[in-house]
Amino acid sequence: METIKNRTELVFLYDIKDANPNGDPLDENKPRVDEETGINIVTDVRLKRTVRDYLFEYEGYNGEGDKDIFVREIITDKGFVQQGKERAKDFKDDPESILNTCIDIRLFGGVIPLTKGSITYTGPVQFQMGRSLHPVEIRQIKGTGAFAGKANSMQKTFRIEYIVPYSLVAFNGIVNETAAQHTKMTSLDLELLQNAMWQGTKNLISRSKFGQTPRLLLVVSYKTPGFFIGELKNYIELVSDLRPEKIRDVTDYSLDVTNLVNILIKYRNEVEKCDFLIDDRLQLLYNGQAVKDPQNFNFLGAGE
Protein backbone atom coordinates (compact mmCIF):
# COMPACT_ATOMS: atom_id res chain seq x y z
CA MET A 1 0.00 0.00 0.00
CA GLU A 2 1.27 3.48 -0.90
CA THR A 3 2.30 6.01 1.69
CA ILE A 4 0.12 9.02 2.53
CA LYS A 5 0.07 11.60 -0.27
CA ASN A 6 -2.29 14.27 1.12
CA ARG A 7 -1.87 16.77 3.93
CA THR A 8 -4.69 16.06 6.38
CA GLU A 9 -6.17 17.89 9.36
CA LEU A 10 -7.94 16.22 12.27
CA VAL A 11 -10.34 17.73 14.79
CA PHE A 12 -11.32 15.43 17.64
CA LEU A 13 -13.74 16.23 20.45
CA TYR A 14 -14.57 13.99 23.37
CA ASP A 15 -16.04 14.58 26.80
CA ILE A 16 -15.50 13.13 30.24
CA LYS A 17 -17.76 13.18 33.27
CA ASP A 18 -16.88 12.80 36.96
CA ALA A 19 -13.37 11.60 36.20
CA ASN A 20 -9.79 12.78 35.56
CA PRO A 21 -8.94 13.16 31.87
CA ASN A 22 -5.20 13.66 32.39
CA GLY A 23 -3.65 14.00 35.83
CA ASP A 24 -0.45 15.94 36.53
CA PRO A 25 1.89 13.66 38.54
CA LEU A 26 3.80 16.72 39.78
CA ASP A 27 0.62 18.28 41.25
CA GLU A 28 -1.09 15.51 43.25
CA ASN A 29 -2.35 14.03 39.95
CA LYS A 30 -4.90 16.84 39.65
CA PRO A 31 -6.52 17.41 36.24
CA ARG A 32 -4.38 19.85 34.26
CA VAL A 33 -5.98 23.30 34.15
CA ASP A 34 -4.82 26.65 32.79
CA GLU A 35 -4.96 28.76 35.94
CA GLU A 36 -5.68 31.95 34.02
CA THR A 37 -8.66 30.69 32.04
CA GLY A 38 -9.90 27.58 33.85
CA ILE A 39 -9.50 25.61 30.62
CA ASN A 40 -8.85 21.89 31.04
CA ILE A 41 -5.66 20.69 29.31
CA VAL A 42 -4.95 17.17 28.05
CA THR A 43 -1.51 16.30 26.67
CA ASP A 44 -0.98 14.88 23.21
CA VAL A 45 0.87 12.00 24.91
CA ARG A 46 -2.38 10.95 26.62
CA LEU A 47 -4.21 10.78 23.29
CA LYS A 48 -1.36 8.86 21.66
CA ARG A 49 -1.42 6.40 24.57
CA THR A 50 -5.13 5.86 23.97
CA VAL A 51 -4.41 5.08 20.31
CA ARG A 52 -1.54 2.73 21.11
CA ASP A 53 -3.53 0.83 23.75
CA TYR A 54 -6.51 0.35 21.44
CA LEU A 55 -4.39 -0.88 18.55
CA PHE A 56 -2.60 -3.28 20.90
CA GLU A 57 -5.72 -4.66 22.56
CA TYR A 58 -8.25 -4.66 19.72
CA GLU A 59 -6.48 -4.50 16.34
CA GLY A 60 -3.86 -7.21 16.80
CA TYR A 61 -0.79 -4.97 17.14
CA ASN A 62 0.42 -7.08 20.04
CA GLY A 63 3.70 -8.54 18.83
CA GLU A 64 2.20 -11.69 17.39
CA GLY A 65 3.08 -12.00 13.72
CA ASP A 66 4.19 -8.88 11.87
CA LYS A 67 2.20 -6.25 13.82
CA ASP A 68 3.35 -4.56 17.01
CA ILE A 69 3.46 -1.40 19.13
CA PHE A 70 7.03 -0.25 19.79
CA VAL A 71 6.37 2.08 22.73
CA ARG A 72 4.72 -0.16 25.29
CA GLU A 73 5.57 -1.49 28.72
CA ILE A 74 7.19 -4.92 28.60
CA ILE A 75 8.30 -6.75 31.75
CA THR A 76 11.49 -8.77 31.40
CA ASP A 77 12.01 -12.29 32.73
CA LYS A 78 13.69 -10.73 35.77
CA GLY A 79 10.66 -8.58 36.53
CA PHE A 80 12.06 -5.25 35.31
CA VAL A 81 10.61 -2.82 32.79
CA GLN A 82 12.35 -3.28 29.46
CA GLN A 83 14.77 -0.54 28.36
CA GLY A 84 14.60 1.17 24.98
CA LYS A 85 17.78 -0.43 23.68
CA GLU A 86 16.52 -3.86 24.65
CA ARG A 87 13.25 -3.10 22.84
CA ALA A 88 15.20 -2.27 19.68
CA LYS A 89 16.99 -5.61 19.99
CA ASP A 90 13.59 -7.32 19.69
CA PHE A 91 13.80 -6.14 16.08
CA LYS A 92 17.51 -6.99 15.72
CA ASP A 93 18.42 -3.29 15.80
CA ASP A 94 16.89 -2.96 12.34
CA PRO A 95 15.03 0.36 11.82
CA GLU A 96 13.38 -0.95 8.65
CA SER A 97 11.94 -3.88 10.57
CA ILE A 98 10.62 -1.50 13.23
CA LEU A 99 8.90 0.70 10.63
CA ASN A 100 7.38 -2.27 8.84
CA THR A 101 6.09 -3.80 12.07
CA CYS A 102 5.26 -0.96 14.47
CA ILE A 103 2.33 1.24 13.49
CA ASP A 104 2.97 3.70 16.33
CA ILE A 105 6.38 4.62 14.90
CA ARG A 106 4.86 5.01 11.44
CA LEU A 107 2.23 7.33 12.94
CA PHE A 108 4.00 9.22 15.72
CA GLY A 109 7.69 8.71 14.99
CA GLY A 110 10.13 8.33 17.84
CA VAL A 111 13.74 8.00 18.90
CA ILE A 112 14.97 4.45 18.34
CA PRO A 113 17.89 3.75 20.73
CA LEU A 114 20.07 1.28 18.84
CA THR A 115 23.03 -0.59 20.28
CA LYS A 116 25.32 1.90 18.56
CA GLY A 117 23.76 5.36 18.50
CA SER A 118 20.13 6.08 17.71
CA ILE A 119 17.85 7.05 14.87
CA THR A 120 15.05 9.62 15.05
CA TYR A 121 11.86 9.57 13.01
CA THR A 122 9.65 12.66 12.93
CA GLY A 123 6.06 11.46 13.21
CA PRO A 124 3.68 12.41 10.40
CA VAL A 125 0.84 12.62 12.94
CA GLN A 126 1.14 15.42 15.45
CA PHE A 127 -1.44 16.75 17.91
CA GLN A 128 -1.53 20.04 19.77
CA MET A 129 -2.41 19.93 23.43
CA GLY A 130 -6.09 19.21 23.87
CA ARG A 131 -8.05 22.04 25.48
CA SER A 132 -11.62 22.11 26.75
CA LEU A 133 -14.03 24.41 24.93
CA HIS A 134 -15.16 25.85 28.27
CA PRO A 135 -13.75 26.50 31.77
CA VAL A 136 -14.06 23.58 34.17
CA GLU A 137 -14.31 23.01 37.90
CA ILE A 138 -12.01 20.70 39.85
CA ARG A 139 -13.64 18.73 42.64
CA GLN A 140 -11.84 17.01 45.48
CA ILE A 141 -13.22 13.67 46.61
CA LYS A 142 -12.22 12.05 49.89
CA GLY A 143 -12.68 8.44 50.82
CA THR A 144 -11.37 5.57 52.92
CA GLY A 145 -9.32 2.63 51.77
CA ALA A 146 -9.97 -1.03 52.49
CA PHE A 147 -6.80 -1.60 54.52
CA ALA A 148 -5.04 -0.14 57.52
CA GLY A 149 -2.13 2.21 56.96
CA LYS A 150 0.14 0.29 59.35
CA ALA A 151 0.24 -2.95 61.27
CA ASN A 152 -1.91 -3.42 64.37
CA SER A 153 -4.06 -0.39 63.54
CA MET A 154 -7.85 -0.05 63.58
CA GLN A 155 -7.68 3.03 61.34
CA LYS A 156 -8.13 2.61 57.58
CA THR A 157 -6.15 4.73 55.16
CA PHE A 158 -7.67 7.84 53.64
CA ARG A 159 -7.51 8.74 49.97
CA ILE A 160 -7.98 11.99 48.11
CA GLU A 161 -8.63 12.22 44.39
CA TYR A 162 -9.46 15.02 41.99
CA ILE A 163 -12.01 15.00 39.19
CA VAL A 164 -13.74 17.34 36.79
CA PRO A 165 -17.56 17.10 36.82
CA TYR A 166 -17.55 17.65 33.05
CA SER A 167 -15.12 18.60 30.31
CA LEU A 168 -15.48 18.74 26.52
CA VAL A 169 -11.93 18.44 25.19
CA ALA A 170 -10.91 19.36 21.64
CA PHE A 171 -7.72 18.36 19.81
CA ASN A 172 -6.20 19.72 16.62
CA GLY A 173 -4.10 17.25 14.64
CA ILE A 174 -2.10 17.23 11.43
CA VAL A 175 -0.88 14.48 9.12
CA ASN A 176 2.28 15.60 7.33
CA GLU A 177 2.57 13.79 3.99
CA THR A 178 6.29 14.64 3.73
CA ALA A 179 7.17 12.97 7.02
CA ALA A 180 4.95 10.03 6.02
CA GLN A 181 7.40 9.19 3.24
CA HIS A 182 10.12 8.59 5.85
CA THR A 183 8.03 6.46 8.24
CA LYS A 184 6.04 4.67 5.51
CA MET A 185 2.67 5.72 6.93
CA THR A 186 -0.13 4.43 4.68
CA SER A 187 -3.79 5.27 4.13
CA LEU A 188 -4.66 2.11 6.08
CA ASP A 189 -2.61 3.44 9.00
CA LEU A 190 -4.66 6.64 8.86
CA GLU A 191 -7.92 4.67 8.90
CA LEU A 192 -6.70 2.68 11.89
CA LEU A 193 -5.67 5.90 13.65
CA GLN A 194 -9.14 7.41 13.20
CA ASN A 195 -10.82 4.26 14.46
CA ALA A 196 -8.44 4.05 17.42
CA MET A 197 -9.12 7.66 18.41
CA TRP A 198 -12.88 7.08 18.39
CA GLN A 199 -13.15 3.54 19.70
CA GLY A 200 -10.08 3.81 21.93
CA THR A 201 -11.59 6.76 23.77
CA LYS A 202 -14.83 4.83 24.16
CA ASN A 203 -13.03 1.73 25.41
CA LEU A 204 -10.71 3.48 27.86
CA ILE A 205 -12.42 1.86 30.81
CA SER A 206 -10.28 2.55 33.84
CA ARG A 207 -11.37 4.07 37.14
CA SER A 208 -9.97 7.52 36.29
CA LYS A 209 -11.06 7.55 32.63
CA PHE A 210 -14.36 5.64 32.53
CA GLY A 211 -17.02 7.97 31.17
CA GLN A 212 -15.08 9.36 28.22
CA THR A 213 -17.21 9.57 25.09
CA PRO A 214 -16.12 10.60 21.58
CA ARG A 215 -18.41 13.32 20.23
CA LEU A 216 -16.97 14.56 16.93
CA LEU A 217 -14.12 13.56 14.62
CA LEU A 218 -13.53 15.67 11.51
CA VAL A 219 -10.95 14.61 8.91
CA VAL A 220 -10.09 17.08 6.13
CA SER A 221 -7.70 15.98 3.36
CA TYR A 222 -6.22 18.59 1.03
CA LYS A 223 -5.18 18.54 -2.62
CA THR A 224 -2.19 20.89 -2.69
CA PRO A 225 0.99 19.57 -1.02
CA GLY A 226 1.80 21.54 2.10
CA PHE A 227 -1.54 23.39 2.22
CA PHE A 228 -3.82 23.27 5.25
CA ILE A 229 -6.15 25.74 6.95
CA GLY A 230 -4.92 25.16 10.50
CA GLU A 231 -6.46 25.33 13.97
CA LEU A 232 -9.85 24.12 12.79
CA LYS A 233 -11.14 23.53 16.31
CA ASN A 234 -10.91 27.28 16.93
CA TYR A 235 -13.77 27.74 14.44
CA ILE A 236 -16.10 25.75 16.72
CA GLU A 237 -17.99 27.58 19.47
CA LEU A 238 -19.74 26.03 22.45
CA VAL A 239 -23.13 27.68 23.05
CA SER A 240 -25.03 27.18 26.31
CA ASP A 241 -27.51 28.96 28.56
CA LEU A 242 -25.53 27.74 31.56
CA ARG A 243 -22.37 29.19 33.03
CA PRO A 244 -19.55 27.20 31.39
CA GLU A 245 -18.39 25.73 34.72
CA LYS A 246 -21.90 24.41 35.37
CA ILE A 247 -22.15 22.28 32.24
CA ARG A 248 -22.63 18.64 33.18
CA ASP A 249 -23.78 16.84 30.03
CA VAL A 250 -23.65 17.01 26.24
CA THR A 251 -27.33 18.04 26.27
CA ASP A 252 -26.44 21.24 28.17
CA TYR A 253 -25.03 22.94 25.06
CA SER A 254 -24.79 23.02 21.27
CA LEU A 255 -21.74 23.40 19.06
CA ASP A 256 -21.95 26.28 16.61
CA VAL A 257 -20.09 25.17 13.48
CA THR A 258 -20.99 28.19 11.33
CA ASN A 259 -17.45 29.58 11.24
CA LEU A 260 -16.02 26.13 10.63
CA VAL A 261 -18.29 25.54 7.66
CA ASN A 262 -17.55 29.00 6.28
CA ILE A 263 -13.78 28.53 6.38
CA LEU A 264 -14.08 25.11 4.72
CA ILE A 265 -16.30 26.58 2.01
CA LYS A 266 -13.81 29.41 1.49
CA TYR A 267 -11.05 26.89 0.74
CA ARG A 268 -13.30 24.22 -0.76
CA ASN A 269 -11.24 24.06 -3.97
CA GLU A 270 -8.25 22.98 -1.87
CA VAL A 271 -10.16 20.16 -0.14
CA GLU A 272 -9.90 16.64 -1.51
CA LYS A 273 -12.50 15.24 0.89
CA CYS A 274 -14.07 15.87 4.28
CA ASP A 275 -15.15 12.94 6.46
CA PHE A 276 -16.61 12.98 9.94
CA LEU A 277 -18.08 10.93 12.75
CA ILE A 278 -20.57 12.46 15.16
CA ASP A 279 -22.19 11.16 18.31
CA ASP A 280 -25.98 10.88 18.19
CA ARG A 281 -26.45 13.07 21.27
CA LEU A 282 -24.37 16.01 20.04
CA GLN A 283 -26.37 18.99 18.77
CA LEU A 284 -24.93 21.24 16.04
CA LEU A 285 -25.91 24.81 15.21
CA TYR A 286 -25.45 26.41 11.80
CA ASN A 287 -26.38 30.03 11.10
CA GLY A 288 -28.29 30.17 14.36
CA GLN A 289 -30.44 27.12 13.60
CA ALA A 290 -30.28 23.62 15.03
CA VAL A 291 -29.06 21.09 12.47
CA LYS A 292 -31.91 18.59 12.03
CA ASP A 293 -29.77 15.71 10.73
CA PRO A 294 -26.19 16.07 12.02
CA GLN A 295 -25.23 12.61 10.71
CA ASN A 296 -25.70 13.85 7.13
CA PHE A 297 -24.49 17.41 7.60
CA ASN A 298 -22.56 18.97 4.71
CA PHE A 299 -19.44 20.65 6.13
CA LEU A 300 -18.33 21.68 2.65
CA GLY A 301 -21.54 23.35 1.57
CA ALA A 302 -24.14 23.68 4.33
CA GLY A 303 -27.05 25.84 3.27
CA GLU A 304 -26.52 25.32 -0.46
Side-chain angles (χ1 to χ4, degrees), residues 33 35-37 52 54 95 99 117 164 175 190 263 269 294 300:
V33 171
E35 294 183 0
E36 295 295 325
T37 63
R52 285 186 170 103
Y54 181 80
L99 289 179
V164 292
V175 181
L190 179 56
I263 197 69
N269 291 337
L300 286 178

Side-chain angles (χ1 to χ4, degrees), residues 174-291:
I174 194 79
V175 181
N176 183 340
E177 76 284 1
T178 302
Q181 307 307 308
H182 299 290
T183 67
K184 302 182 179 182
M185 179 185 169
T186 67
S187 56
L188 176 59
D189 292 336
L190 179 56
E191 290 177 15
L192 287 166
L193 169 69
Q194 294 168 213
N195 188 56
M197 291 169 65
W198 191 270
Q199 296 297 338
T201 298
K202 216 172 186 178
N203 284 280
L204 191 54
I205 305 173
S206 65
R207 188 172 185 277
S208 67
K209 301 295 184 293
F210 183 55
Q212 290 191 168
T213 303
R215 298 299 182 185
L216 176 66
L217 174 60
L218 181 69
V219 183
V220 183
S221 297
Y222 298 99
K223 298 175 183 177
T224 304
F227 176 87
F228 66 104
I229 297 171
E231 297 186 322
L232 287 179
K233 77 175 179 65
N234 292 346
Y235 294 95
I236 301 172
E237 181 182 359
L238 185 148
V239 178
S240 176
D241 293 330
L242 298 176
R243 272 184 47 228
E245 295 88 349
K246 298 302 180 183
I247 292 173
R248 292 295 182 268
D249 189 73
V250 68
T251 58
D252 289 338
Y253 59 85
S254 299
L255 293 184
D256 190 334
V257 295
T258 303
N259 291 331
L260 175 62
V261 170
N262 289 344
I263 197 69
L264 289 172
I265 291 175
K266 178 179 179 179
Y267 293 104
R268 182 165 50 186
N269 291 337
E270 294 284 357
V271 176
E272 180 76 27
K273 63 177 180 175
C274 179
D275 298 319
F276 69 94
L277 291 171
I278 186 169
D279 179 74
D280 288 331
R281 298 181 68 221
L282 182 64
Q283 179 62 62
L284 301 182
L285 292 177
Y286 177 67
N287 280 341
Q289 301 295 319
V291 175

Side-chain angles (χ1 to χ4, degrees), residues 12-232:
F12 181 49
L13 278 64
Y14 70 89
D15 62 7
I16 186 166
K17 184 182 295 188
D18 296 328
N20 186 346
N22 187 206
D24 185 349
L26 300 181
D27 188 19
E28 302 179 78
N29 207 43
K30 293 178 182 178
R32 302 170 194 265
V33 171
D34 184 325
E35 294 183 0
E36 295 295 325
T37 63
I39 295 297
N40 185 201
I41 298 172
V42 178
T43 66
D44 61 317
V45 175
R46 173 62 264 176
L47 181 56
K48 290 175 180 178
R49 183 75 269 158
T50 298
V51 170
R52 285 186 170 103
D53 289 348
Y54 181 80
L55 293 172
F56 178 84
E57 294 173 8
Y58 295 94
E59 294 290 349
Y61 286 85
N62 54 16
E64 298 180 6
D66 59 352
K67 299 195 297 185
D68 206 346
I69 297 296
F70 187 84
V71 182
R72 60 183 176 92
E73 184 177 296
I74 297 176
I75 305 300
T76 67
D77 294 338
K78 295 183 179 180
F80 302 114
V81 177
Q82 188 183 51
Q83 293 182 308
K85 286 189 176 182
E86 294 302 312
R87 182 65 174 138
K89 288 180 181 178
D90 291 342
F91 302 90
K92 300 180 180 179
D93 269 351
D94 181 4
E96 286 296 307
S97 176
I98 293 172
L99 289 179
N100 292 333
T101 306
C102 298
I103 188 173
D104 60 326
I105 301 300
R106 295 199 299 273
L107 292 172
F108 306 131
V111 178
I112 311 299
L114 305 174
T115 301
K116 294 182 179 180
S118 64
I119 185 169
T120 300
Y121 291 105
T122 300
V125 179
Q126 299 294 338
F127 295 103
Q128 292 179 322
M129 290 277 195
R131 300 178 70 87
S132 63
L133 295 184
H134 58 102
V136 303
E137 293 181 336
I138 294 181
R139 294 278 181 87
Q140 184 187 80
I141 297 178
K142 298 179 181 180
T144 56
F147 302 102
K150 57 183 179 180
N152 302 319
S153 172
M154 296 298 293
Q155 182 67 50
K156 295 180 181 179
T157 57
F158 288 92
R159 60 177 174 82
I160 297 177
E161 59 184 302
Y162 299 89
I163 65 165
V164 292
Y166 186 83
S167 180
L168 177 66
V169 180
F171 276 91
N172 274 323
I174 194 79
V175 181
N176 183 340
E177 76 284 1
T178 302
Q181 307 307 308
H182 299 290
T183 67
K184 302 182 179 182
M185 179 185 169
T186 67
S187 56
L188 176 59
D189 292 336
L190 179 56
E191 290 177 15
L192 287 166
L193 169 69
Q194 294 168 213
N195 188 56
M197 291 169 65
W198 191 270
Q199 296 297 338
T201 298
K202 216 172 186 178
N203 284 280
L204 191 54
I205 305 173
S206 65
R207 188 172 185 277
S208 67
K209 301 295 184 293
F210 183 55
Q212 290 191 168
T213 303
R215 298 299 182 185
L216 176 66
L217 174 60
L218 181 69
V219 183
V220 183
S221 297
Y222 298 99
K223 298 175 183 177
T224 304
F227 176 87
F228 66 104
I229 297 171
E231 297 186 322
L232 287 179

